[in-house]
Amino acid sequence: MQNMPHIFAPTTPDLGNQVRMRRGRELLGLSVVGQEDGRRLGNVRDLFFDHDTDELLALVIAEKDLFGLIDAQIVPWREIVSIGGDVILARNAASLINLRDDPRVREMAQRETVLSGTAVMSQSGEKIGTLADMFIDETTGRVLGYEVSNGFLSDTLRGKKFVPAPPGLAIGRDAAIAPPSTEAQIKK
């Protein structure tokens, strides 16, 4: 997997001098290793995030089995020490827990919200794009914004749009609803 360079957000009063942004998609497939014990915990398969508070909650290492008999295994964000180009460091092997052992992550998992491919709708009901990815602050896990696609041709000619998280989008199970200011930004 080829790693992309870090993206630095401009200085803003609420974020400090410089924030290291990374696409959520860049974390997928990275190996997670315990910093204290050197134990490999697995590879990142998915991400759990809370779209109400705009924060990454956990890295999914193993998904639950088809019949739901074996629980998903996660590394909660609070256990992440650092993110490198090749490896994500968690505190130690005990950082890998079952999904059912973290009530907040379990609640988000029950919502079954899928980010990538979710339709972005205007408040008047017009489809104005599709969510492609999220940008996170790799230090705090805060979701800083979302990447919105307007289709292959538009993306090729004008590029995908970055939409800041707050007050950005109201993301639900089936669609993301954009406020008028975000709608205007996407349509530029």
Side-chain angles (χ1 to χ4, degrees), residues 25-131:
R25 185 170 303 176
E26 292 175 29
L27 302 180
L28 301 179
L30 288 180
S31 184
V32 181
V33 175
Q35 184 181 44
E36 295 170 4
D37 53 20
R39 183 167 169 213
R40 185 178 175 283
L41 307 179
N43 291 350
V44 178
R45 295 174 162 269
D46 204 351
L47 309 171
F48 279 129
F49 75 104
D50 184 338
H51 51 77
D52 294 332
T53 60
D54 292 316
E55 61 185 315
L56 191 59
L57 298 178
L59 307 176
V60 178
I61 303 303
E63 298 181 41
K64 68 180 176 181
D65 72 335
L66 183 62
F67 303 107
L69 300 174
I70 299 174
D71 201 10
Q73 292 192 305
I74 63 169
V75 175
W77 187 260
R78 65 183 174 272
E79 295 292 314
I80 301 302
V81 176
S82 67
I83 301 173
D86 301 314
V87 172
I88 297 172
L89 293 177
R91 291 192 204 296
N92 54 42
S95 298
L96 183 66
I97 64 171
N98 289 321
L99 173 65
R100 70 176 163 264
D101 295 333
D102 189 310
R104 186 167 177 217
V105 178
R106 185 178 62 234
E107 178 188 339
M108 289 301 118
Q110 290 171 345
R111 289 187 183 183
E112 297 181 3
T113 302
V114 176
L115 179 72
S116 186
T118 297
V120 179
M121 309 296 290
S122 69
Q123 290 184 345
S124 61
E126 173 189 358
K127 183 178 178 186
I128 55 176
T130 304
L131 290 177

